[in-house]
Amino acid sequence: RYAAAADLADLGATVAGPQRGFALWAPTAASVSLCLYPDARGAADAHIALTRDPATGVWRGGDAQATHGRVYA
């Protein structure tokens, strides 16, 4: 059903200039959010909802807040 995902090479975190992009294969998830932290010890200060591609089951998103040095999960 998700054969189109087999050829994807950009899963995980990607860098495009100052912005970061994120892609996660989770075809059965109802929703996916990326949590951003100012550092490894603090609480998350931003949540970015990712968008699902129904053809691949991959969730994608990015945000200008996801800058160099931020911690994400």
Side-chain angles (χ1 to χ4, degrees):
R1 179 175 184 185
Y2 298 106
D7 296 326
L8 297 176
D10 65 341
L11 295 177
T14 57
V15 178
Q19 190 163 333
R20 308 303 185 256
F22 301 90
L24 170 75
W25 187 69
T28 61
S31 66
V32 174
S33 292
L34 178 72
C35 298
L36 295 175
Y37 302 82
D39 56 49
R41 297 181 196 169
D45 61 359
H47 297 92
I48 300 165
L50 303 185
T51 303
R52 184 176 181 271
D53 176 350
T56 62
V58 173
W59 294 78
R60 295 182 181 280
D63 194 279
Q65 296 180 67
T67 57
H68 178 73
R70 298 285 307 261
V71 177
Y72 64 89

